[in-house]
Amino acid sequence: MTAAGSTNRSSPPWSDPGSAGSDCRQTHRVRRGSLDDMPSNDPAITSGVATFEHWYDFTEGGPVHRALLPFPSTAPAPFEVARWSVAPNTSNDLDVHRSREVWIIVSGTGTLTFADRTDVLRAGDVAAFDSTVPHQIRNDGPEPLLAVSVYWLQAGD
């Protein structure tokens, strides 16, 4: 937060390890028993909080960070995760790819264009794209649009 009480718009909250938006972890409670009661032969070394690294920048919109999932290369997840931001009055890059994709809008608002359609997305909205459908979002609001993307190749790819 700045002295005036507004957020710093130059970078998304997750780019600052000390910001409130950087901690995406959730606590799950075991309703019956405890973790000690669960059968396990190995420690949970392939589970836990994903870390993120800078991947690339949109032409005008903002940075994209990809998750480093804790799964071993011998048994990778069938999906990947990224988080990204789009600055006010800009768009992310028009995207078309072989993978299916789901966007989860964390904050902000924007106009989604996909195929020949448009729709307004706000915090909490989710959009899904089949492979090869062109898609892009323009941030129409005064604050950065923050999103998480989950994507995976279809069977046979």
Side-chain angles (χ1 to χ4, degrees):
M1 299 295 273
T2 63
S6 63
T7 59
N8 179 351
R9 295 183 188 176
S10 63
S11 62
W14 52 60
S15 66
D16 175 8
S19 73
S22 68
D23 190 12
C24 297
R25 294 175 285 178
Q26 295 181 356
T27 302
H28 297 280
R29 295 182 192 185
V30 177
R31 293 187 185 262
R32 296 187 185 134
S34 70
L35 293 176
D36 295 332
D37 297 332
M38 299 177 74
S40 175
N41 295 331
D42 299 317
I45 59 172
T46 59
S47 299
V49 177
T51 59
F52 284 83
E53 69 179 7
H54 181 264
W55 192 9
Y56 66 95
D57 294 310
F58 292 128
T59 302
E60 66 174 6
V64 179
H65 297 89
R66 90 172 132 191
L68 303 174
L69 300 174
F71 308 118
S73 61
T74 56
F79 57 87
E80 294 186 10
V81 178
R83 62 186 181 193
W84 43 272
S85 66
V86 178
N89 301 310
T90 66
S91 299
N92 67 339
D93 298 336
L94 180 64
D95 205 7
V96 177
H97 39 72
R98 296 182 352 194
S99 60
R100 287 182 155 178
E101 184 172 23
V102 173
W103 288 354
I104 303 158
I105 306 303
V106 176
S107 65
T109 185
T111 301
L112 168 68
T113 302
F114 63 104
D116 62 348
R117 303 168 75 181
T118 61
D119 212 339
V120 174
L121 296 181
R122 294 176 179 81
D125 288 343
V126 174
F129 309 102
D130 211 335
S131 61
T132 72
V133 172
H135 50 280
Q136 182 176 40
I137 193 163
R138 175 155 188 87
N139 182 346
D140 299 324
E143 300 294 326
L145 183 142
L146 306 177
V148 171
S149 175
V150 179
Y151 49 99
W152 62 98
L153 294 177
Q154 297 185 69
D157 277 345

